[in-house]
Amino acid sequence: MQFYLIYSWLLRASRSCFTVPLCVLAFAAAAANPAFAQTISVGDVAIVEGDAGTTSAQFAVTLSSASANSISVQVGTADGTATAGSDYVAQSVGLTFLPGATTATINVPVNGDTISEPDETFTLNLSNPVNVTIADGQGVGTILNDDAAPPTAPNLTATVLAGATVTVPLTPGATGGPFSAATIVSSLPVEGGVSTIVGAPNYALQFDATPVFEGVVVVNYTLTGPGGVSDPATVTVTVQARPDPSTDPDVRGLLTAQAQAAQQFAQSQMDNINRRMAALHDESCRQFLANTVQLSGPDADGGTERLSTPQLNELCDDGAQKLGLSMWTSGSVDVGSTHRAGEAGRDSIAYNLTAGVDYRFSQRFVGGISLGYSTDSSDIGTNGTTSDGEAISAAIYGSFMATPSFFVDALIGYGSFDFNSRRFDTSSGAFGSGDRDGDQFYASLTAGYDTQLRAWKLTPFARLSGSSSILNGFSETGAGEYSLAYGRQQVDSFGGSLGFAASTDLALEVGTLTPRLRLEYMHEFEGDSSVDIRYADLPEGLIYNVQTQAFAQNQVTLGLGADLHLNNGMRLGLDYTGNFGFEDSRRHGVRASVGGQF
C-alpha cells in the first residue's frame, strides 16, 4: 500500500512539470499537499427493524479532510448474524467524493417482521480506494429486535378422582405475558374426561373426569401473548378410580344396622302388646284400681280349683263390673350384638316404651289401642361409625277367647322413624353425616291354648309376625368427594314362631307373684333388603348395590320373668329376654311393665 501511495504521488508530480525547474516546483507542491494523506472511514449504525416493510440503516462515510481531487471507494455489505434477503437488502455500490466533499451516506434497507429474535448484525465494508487511504473500512449495522419474545408454557401435572373436577392454573410459571388466550390443542384419550379453558386472563384448565375412567389423560395446550403463541405444553392428569363403597365394611354395617333397627322398632312394640294380651287371658274382673288375678291349682278331689286374689267374686257378680277400661304401660331395654363377615359389627342398645288403653267388650273379647316410642343407638365397627334412631307408633289390638282355653290375639300398627348417621370413610379418614326418615307397618297373629299341669299353666302357641319398613334415601355431607348418596330402602320382615309359656301363681301378703318362663323358636322367612348407593357428587355416576342382612334367620328366644299383682289392683312386671341367633347374633332385653284398672 505504501508503495502504491508513493507511486501515485510521484506520478502526479511528474505530470505537472515539463522542465526540470517546473518538476522541482511540482514535486514541492505535491509534497506540501499530497492526496493520499486523506483518510476515509465508515461509522456503525443501529436501527429498529419494525414490524413490516423496510427501514433504512444509514451508514455515514466521511473523509478526514476535503480534497482537490475526486475520491472514490467501493462499498458492499456482508452477513454477520443477519442474513441478506430475509433481514436486510444486500448492497454493492461505488461511492465517489467530488473535490471539496467530505461526507456521504449509504442506505441499507432493513426488513421488518414480527418474529421475536435476538439482535442481529451485518457489516458495510469499504474497498478499492482511489485518492484516499482507508482508515476504518468496516461499519457494523445492528438490527434491533422490537418484537416481544413468544410465551413459554409450563408442563404441569394433576391428580383427580374419577367423576370429579380438578382445576389447574396455567399462567403461574409461564413467561411472555400478559396472555390474551389459552387454547387446548388435544386431550387424549377423549374418554378420560372433558377439558375446558377457564378464567381469563389468569387462564386455568378445568378437567372433568369421566366417572368410569381410570388412567392418565394428557392435555396439550398453548398460551398466546404479545410475542405470539407458545409451543405446546402438557398437563398430565392422573385419574384415580374411586373405591367401590359397596365393599366398605362400615358402609355395609351402617345399612344393616339401620335395617335391623327398623325391624326392631316394630318387633319391640309387638312384643309389648303381645305380652299385654297374654295377661288378659286370665283376667276375671275389671274395677277401679282392682286387678283380679286368677290362681289355679288341684282341689281335694283331683279337679281344678280356681281362686281370685283378692276375693272379688261378689263384687263382679254384676256383668257390667267385669267389663270396662284398663290402662297399662310396658317398657324394655334391649342390648344386642351382631357380627358377620364382610361388614362392621353392630353393638346396640334400644329403649322401648308402650302405653295402652283397652276395653273388655265381653268375657271373650278385649280390644285396645296403644302408643309406642322407641330409640336405638348403634356403634358400628371400631372406627367411630354410629347410627342413632327413634320411632313413634300407634297400634290397635284385640284378644279373643274362642273357648275358655283357646285364644287368638291380633294386632296391627303403624310407625314413623328417623335415623342420624355418622360414617367413617376409610379412604379419606373423614366422617360423612346424614339424616334419613321412613315409616313402617307391622302386624302379628297369635293362636294358643291354655292348659293346666298341677300348679303350672302351660300355653303352647304359634305366631306369625311381620313388618314392612321404608327407609327413604338421603345424602351424606362432610366426607368431600367420598360422601355417599343412598337410595330408598325397603325392609320386609316376615317370620313364624312356635313356642310355649309356663307360669304359676304364688300368693303373697301384698298380692300375687306370677313367675313365668317362655321358650320360642322363630324362623325368619324374609328380612334381607337391597339399597343402591353412589357418590353424592356424581348424580350420573356408577350405582353400587348393597344387600343388607336381617337378624339371624333362625333364632331361639328364652324368656324369664314375673308379675306382681298387688292387692290395690296394680300390676308390676319384670322380664328378661335372651334372643340367640344361629348366625352370630344375639340380643338381651330387660322389660318392665305397669298396669292398672279404672
Side-chain angles (χ1 to χ4, degrees):
M1 179 64 73
Q2 291 179 349
F3 172 78
Y4 172 77
L5 293 175
I6 295 172
Y7 171 76
S8 297
W9 178 74
L10 291 174
L11 179 61
R12 291 198 310 273
S14 65
R15 288 174 180 171
S16 63
C17 63
F18 300 98
T19 63
V20 171
L22 292 176
C23 287
V24 172
L25 293 174
F27 280 116
N33 187 26
F36 60 84
Q38 293 162 329
T39 60
I40 189 171
S41 301
V42 59
D44 298 332
V45 65
I47 187 170
V48 177
E49 65 178 353
D51 292 335
T54 59
T55 304
S56 292
Q58 298 178 340
F59 288 88
V61 181
T62 60
L63 295 175
S64 58
S65 62
S67 173
N69 301 305
S70 294
I71 294 174
S72 65
V73 69
Q74 189 70 28
V75 179
T77 56
D79 290 349
T81 55
T83 303
S86 60
D87 295 316
Y88 70 98
V89 179
Q91 302 292 311
S92 180
V93 297
L95 176 64
T96 300
F97 285 88
L98 297 176
T102 59
T103 62
T105 299
I106 298 298
N107 293 319
V108 179
V110 174
N111 298 323
D113 60 37
T114 57
I115 300 173
S116 177
E117 53 195 345
D119 294 343
E120 298 172 308
T121 61
F122 65 93
T123 58
L124 183 71
N125 300 304
L126 305 181
S127 63
N128 301 326
V130 176
N131 297 332
V132 72
T133 300
I134 297 176
D136 184 356
Q138 187 176 76
V140 178
T142 302
I143 303 174
L144 300 176
N145 176 63
D146 63 348
D147 300 307
T152 60
N155 294 323
L156 303 168
T157 60
T159 301
V160 65
L161 288 174
T165 298
V166 63
T167 300
V168 183
L170 300 178
T171 55
T175 63
F179 303 104
S180 58
T183 304
I184 295 174
V185 178
S186 63
S187 181
L188 298 173
V190 294
E191 63 269 19
V194 178
S195 298
T196 309
I197 297 296
V198 297
N202 298 317
Y203 294 97
L205 171 71
Q206 177 178 298
F207 182 78
D208 300 302
T210 303
V212 297
F213 182 80
E214 178 184 9
V216 175
V217 176
V218 177
V219 182
N220 289 300
Y221 74 99
T222 60
L223 294 175
T224 301
V229 180
S230 71
D231 291 334
T234 61
V235 179
T236 303
V237 183
T238 301
V239 182
Q240 297 177 342
R242 299 197 190 195
D244 182 352
S246 66
T247 63
D248 189 317
D250 281 72
V251 173
R252 299 179 64 87
L254 173 63
L255 292 172
T256 294
Q258 292 183 342
Q260 290 182 351
Q263 291 175 279
Q264 196 168 344
F265 287 153
Q267 189 61 52
S268 64
Q269 294 301 318
M270 289 190 287
D271 288 346
N272 286 344
I273 298 171
N274 279 322
R275 280 179 171 80
R276 168 58 181 171
M277 289 190 288
L280 296 175
H281 300 159
D282 292 333
E283 189 180 47
S284 62
C285 179
R286 293 193 165 201
Q287 192 172 353
F288 179 72
L289 293 180
N291 186 22
T292 303
V293 179
Q294 178 176 285
L295 301 180
S296 302
D299 61 13
D301 299 326
T304 300
E305 181 178 3
R306 300 184 183 274
L307 176 67
S308 292
T309 306
Q311 294 286 347
L312 296 175
N313 289 336
E314 294 181 0
L315 295 176
C316 293
D317 286 342
D318 184 353
Q321 292 180 317
K322 299 180 182 180
L323 309 180
L325 293 174
S326 179
M327 182 179 69
W328 59 276
T329 60
S330 180
S332 66
V333 179
D334 296 318
V335 178
S337 177
T338 303
H339 296 274
R340 294 185 177 126
E343 64 182 37
R346 174 195 180 212
D347 295 311
S348 64
I349 182 168
Y351 300 92
N352 308 286
L353 178 65
T354 309
V357 176
D358 47 48
Y359 185 85
R360 181 171 289 278
F361 294 89
S362 70
Q363 292 298 317
R364 301 175 64 182
F365 178 71
V366 177
I369 61 173
S370 67
L371 297 176
Y373 175 77
S374 300
T375 67
D376 174 84
S377 181
S378 296
D379 292 325
I380 298 125
T382 59
N383 296 317
T385 297
T386 61
S387 175
D388 296 303
E390 62 179 4
I392 57 174
S393 62
I396 59 174
Y397 60 92
S399 178
F400 177 69
M401 299 296 296
T403 71
S405 297
F406 180 76
F407 63 88
V408 177
D409 296 338
L411 67 92
I412 185 171
Y414 168 81
S416 64
F417 51 79
D418 62 78
F419 290 102
N420 175 272
S421 62
R422 184 172 183 266
R423 177 186 63 86
F424 176 78
D425 180 73
T426 55
S427 297
S428 64
F431 284 90
S433 300
D435 297 288
R436 73 190 309 189
D437 56 15
D439 56 6
Q440 63 185 180
F441 289 93
Y442 53 88
S444 173
L445 178 66
T446 305
Y449 183 81
D450 290 331
T451 184
Q452 196 74 28
L453 180 62
R454 295 185 178 275
W456 287 88
K457 183 182 75 170
L458 302 180
T459 306
F461 64 90
R463 175 176 295 145
L464 294 176
S465 60
S467 63
S468 180
S469 304
I470 300 296
L471 289 79
N472 295 320
F474 74 104
S475 294
E476 294 176 334
T477 59
E481 295 169 329
Y482 294 95
S483 295
L484 298 177
Y486 302 82
R488 179 178 180 271
Q489 182 179 0
Q490 181 167 347
V491 182
D492 293 324
S493 175
F494 178 69
S497 302
L498 293 175
F500 76 91
S503 64
T504 188
D505 297 324
L506 303 175
L508 302 177
E509 183 176 347
V510 295
T512 302
L513 179 67
T514 305
R516 56 177 172 269
L517 166 71
R518 180 170 67 97
L519 185 63
E520 180 179 356
Y521 166 77
M522 185 180 75
H523 178 77
E524 185 78 29
F525 297 101
E526 185 178 7
D528 295 345
S529 66
S530 174
V531 57
D532 292 335
I533 60 175
R534 57 175 173 78
Y535 284 99
D537 64 333
L538 300 179
E540 305 300 326
L542 288 175
I543 295 177
Y544 307 87
N545 184 266
V546 175
Q547 297 288 327
T548 67
Q549 301 181 43
F551 291 110
Q553 189 176 37
N554 297 286
Q555 304 175 47
V556 172
T557 299
L558 173 64
L560 299 172
D563 281 342
L564 177 60
H565 301 267
L566 299 175
N567 292 331
N568 62 5
M570 297 297 294
R571 177 182 58 83
L572 306 177
L574 184 65
D575 291 89
Y576 160 79
T577 301
N579 186 288
F580 304 93
F582 291 6
E583 293 90 17
D584 298 327
S585 68
R586 58 188 182 274
R587 286 180 295 159
H588 302 278
V590 176
R591 186 179 311 274
S593 59
V594 178
Q597 290 77 38
F598 59 91

